[in-house]
Short mmCIF file of all heavy atoms in Angstrom, two decimals:
data_model
loop_
_atom_site.label_atom_id
_atom_site.label_comp_id
_atom_site.label_asym_id
_atom_site.label_seq_id
_atom_site.Cartn_x
_atom_site.Cartn_y
_atom_site.Cartn_z
N ASP A 20 -51.98 27.43 155.81
CA ASP A 20 -53.08 27.12 154.90
C ASP A 20 -52.56 27.15 153.46
O ASP A 20 -52.31 28.22 152.91
CB ASP A 20 -54.21 28.12 155.09
CG ASP A 20 -55.46 27.76 154.32
OD1 ASP A 20 -55.34 27.19 153.22
OD2 ASP A 20 -56.56 28.07 154.82
N SER A 21 -52.37 25.98 152.87
CA SER A 21 -51.80 25.92 151.52
C SER A 21 -52.73 26.52 150.48
O SER A 21 -52.28 26.98 149.43
CB SER A 21 -51.44 24.48 151.16
OG SER A 21 -52.59 23.66 151.17
N HIS A 22 -54.03 26.54 150.75
CA HIS A 22 -54.95 27.16 149.80
C HIS A 22 -54.72 28.68 149.75
O HIS A 22 -54.86 29.29 148.69
CB HIS A 22 -56.40 26.85 150.17
CG HIS A 22 -57.38 27.30 149.13
ND1 HIS A 22 -57.44 26.74 147.88
CD2 HIS A 22 -58.31 28.28 149.15
CE1 HIS A 22 -58.38 27.34 147.17
NE2 HIS A 22 -58.92 28.28 147.92
N ALA A 23 -54.31 29.26 150.86
CA ALA A 23 -53.98 30.69 150.87
C ALA A 23 -52.79 30.95 149.96
O ALA A 23 -52.78 31.93 149.22
CB ALA A 23 -53.68 31.16 152.29
N LEU A 24 -51.80 30.06 149.98
CA LEU A 24 -50.65 30.21 149.08
C LEU A 24 -51.09 30.12 147.63
O LEU A 24 -50.64 30.88 146.78
CB LEU A 24 -49.58 29.16 149.38
CG LEU A 24 -48.31 29.27 148.54
CD1 LEU A 24 -47.60 30.59 148.81
CD2 LEU A 24 -47.39 28.10 148.82
N LYS A 25 -52.02 29.23 147.35
CA LYS A 25 -52.55 29.11 145.99
C LYS A 25 -53.24 30.40 145.57
O LYS A 25 -53.05 30.88 144.44
CB LYS A 25 -53.52 27.94 145.89
CG LYS A 25 -54.10 27.75 144.51
CD LYS A 25 -55.09 26.62 144.45
CE LYS A 25 -55.64 26.54 143.04
NZ LYS A 25 -56.86 25.81 142.95
N LEU A 26 -54.03 30.99 146.46
CA LEU A 26 -54.71 32.24 146.15
C LEU A 26 -53.71 33.39 145.96
O LEU A 26 -53.90 34.23 145.08
CB LEU A 26 -55.73 32.59 147.24
CG LEU A 26 -56.93 31.65 147.33
CD1 LEU A 26 -57.78 31.99 148.55
CD2 LEU A 26 -57.76 31.68 146.06
N ILE A 27 -52.65 33.39 146.76
CA ILE A 27 -51.61 34.41 146.60
C ILE A 27 -50.93 34.22 145.25
O ILE A 27 -50.70 35.19 144.52
CB ILE A 27 -50.59 34.32 147.76
CG1 ILE A 27 -51.27 34.76 149.06
CG2 ILE A 27 -49.35 35.16 147.45
CD1 ILE A 27 -50.49 34.42 150.31
N TYR A 28 -50.63 32.97 144.91
CA TYR A 28 -50.03 32.68 143.60
C TYR A 28 -50.91 33.21 142.48
O TYR A 28 -50.45 33.91 141.58
CB TYR A 28 -49.81 31.18 143.45
CG TYR A 28 -49.40 30.79 142.05
CD1 TYR A 28 -48.09 30.88 141.64
CD2 TYR A 28 -50.36 30.35 141.13
CE1 TYR A 28 -47.71 30.55 140.35
CE2 TYR A 28 -49.99 30.03 139.84
CZ TYR A 28 -48.67 30.12 139.46
OH TYR A 28 -48.32 29.80 138.17
N GLU A 29 -52.19 32.87 142.55
CA GLU A 29 -53.12 33.29 141.50
C GLU A 29 -53.24 34.81 141.42
O GLU A 29 -53.43 35.37 140.34
CB GLU A 29 -54.50 32.67 141.73
CG GLU A 29 -54.51 31.17 141.50
CD GLU A 29 -55.79 30.49 141.95
OE1 GLU A 29 -56.65 31.14 142.58
OE2 GLU A 29 -55.92 29.28 141.69
N GLY A 30 -53.10 35.50 142.53
CA GLY A 30 -53.24 36.94 142.54
C GLY A 30 -51.97 37.71 142.19
O GLY A 30 -52.04 38.85 141.74
N TYR A 31 -50.80 37.08 142.40
CA TYR A 31 -49.55 37.82 142.26
C TYR A 31 -48.58 37.27 141.23
O TYR A 31 -47.62 37.94 140.88
CB TYR A 31 -48.81 37.88 143.61
CG TYR A 31 -49.41 38.86 144.56
CD1 TYR A 31 -50.35 38.46 145.50
CD2 TYR A 31 -49.05 40.20 144.53
CE1 TYR A 31 -50.92 39.36 146.38
CE2 TYR A 31 -49.60 41.11 145.41
CZ TYR A 31 -50.53 40.68 146.33
OH TYR A 31 -51.09 41.58 147.19
N TRP A 32 -48.79 36.06 140.73
CA TRP A 32 -47.78 35.45 139.87
C TRP A 32 -47.47 36.29 138.64
O TRP A 32 -46.31 36.43 138.26
CB TRP A 32 -48.16 34.03 139.46
CG TRP A 32 -49.18 33.98 138.35
CD1 TRP A 32 -50.52 33.90 138.48
CD2 TRP A 32 -48.92 34.02 136.94
NE1 TRP A 32 -51.12 33.91 137.25
CE2 TRP A 32 -50.15 33.98 136.27
CE3 TRP A 32 -47.75 34.12 136.16
CZ2 TRP A 32 -50.26 34.02 134.89
CZ3 TRP A 32 -47.87 34.15 134.79
CH2 TRP A 32 -49.13 34.10 134.17
N LYS A 33 -48.49 36.87 138.05
CA LYS A 33 -48.26 37.61 136.81
C LYS A 33 -47.40 38.85 137.06
O LYS A 33 -46.47 39.14 136.29
CB LYS A 33 -49.58 38.00 136.16
CG LYS A 33 -49.41 38.59 134.78
CD LYS A 33 -50.74 38.78 134.08
CE LYS A 33 -50.54 39.25 132.66
NZ LYS A 33 -51.80 39.36 131.94
N ARG A 34 -47.68 39.57 138.14
CA ARG A 34 -46.87 40.75 138.45
C ARG A 34 -45.42 40.37 138.74
O ARG A 34 -44.49 41.04 138.28
CB ARG A 34 -47.45 41.47 139.67
CG ARG A 34 -48.71 42.25 139.34
CD ARG A 34 -49.20 42.97 140.56
NE ARG A 34 -50.38 42.24 141.01
CZ ARG A 34 -51.10 42.56 142.05
NH1 ARG A 34 -50.75 43.57 142.81
NH2 ARG A 34 -52.16 41.88 142.37
N LEU A 35 -45.24 39.28 139.49
CA LEU A 35 -43.88 38.83 139.79
C LEU A 35 -43.17 38.35 138.53
O LEU A 35 -42.00 38.66 138.31
CB LEU A 35 -43.93 37.71 140.84
CG LEU A 35 -44.38 38.12 142.23
CD1 LEU A 35 -44.63 36.89 143.08
CD2 LEU A 35 -43.35 39.04 142.88
N TYR A 36 -43.90 37.60 137.72
CA TYR A 36 -43.32 37.11 136.47
C TYR A 36 -42.90 38.26 135.56
O TYR A 36 -41.79 38.26 135.02
CB TYR A 36 -44.32 36.20 135.74
CG TYR A 36 -43.84 35.84 134.36
CD1 TYR A 36 -42.91 34.82 134.18
CD2 TYR A 36 -44.29 36.54 133.24
CE1 TYR A 36 -42.45 34.50 132.91
CE2 TYR A 36 -43.83 36.23 131.98
CZ TYR A 36 -42.91 35.21 131.81
OH TYR A 36 -42.45 34.92 130.56
N LEU A 37 -43.77 39.25 135.40
CA LEU A 37 -43.44 40.38 134.54
C LEU A 37 -42.24 41.17 135.07
O LEU A 37 -41.41 41.63 134.28
CB LEU A 37 -44.66 41.29 134.37
CG LEU A 37 -45.80 40.68 133.55
CD1 LEU A 37 -47.03 41.60 133.59
CD2 LEU A 37 -45.38 40.39 132.12
N ALA A 38 -42.15 41.30 136.38
CA ALA A 38 -40.99 41.98 136.96
C ALA A 38 -39.71 41.21 136.67
O ALA A 38 -38.68 41.79 136.28
CB ALA A 38 -41.17 42.15 138.47
#
Side-chain angles (χ1 to χ4, degrees):
D20 188 326
S21 61
H22 188 67
L24 183 63
K25 180 182 178 199
L26 292 173
I27 291 167
Y28 171 83
E29 290 170 353
Y31 284 94
W32 79 267
K33 188 172 185 177
R34 285 181 254 180
L35 292 169
Y36 171 81
L37 291 173

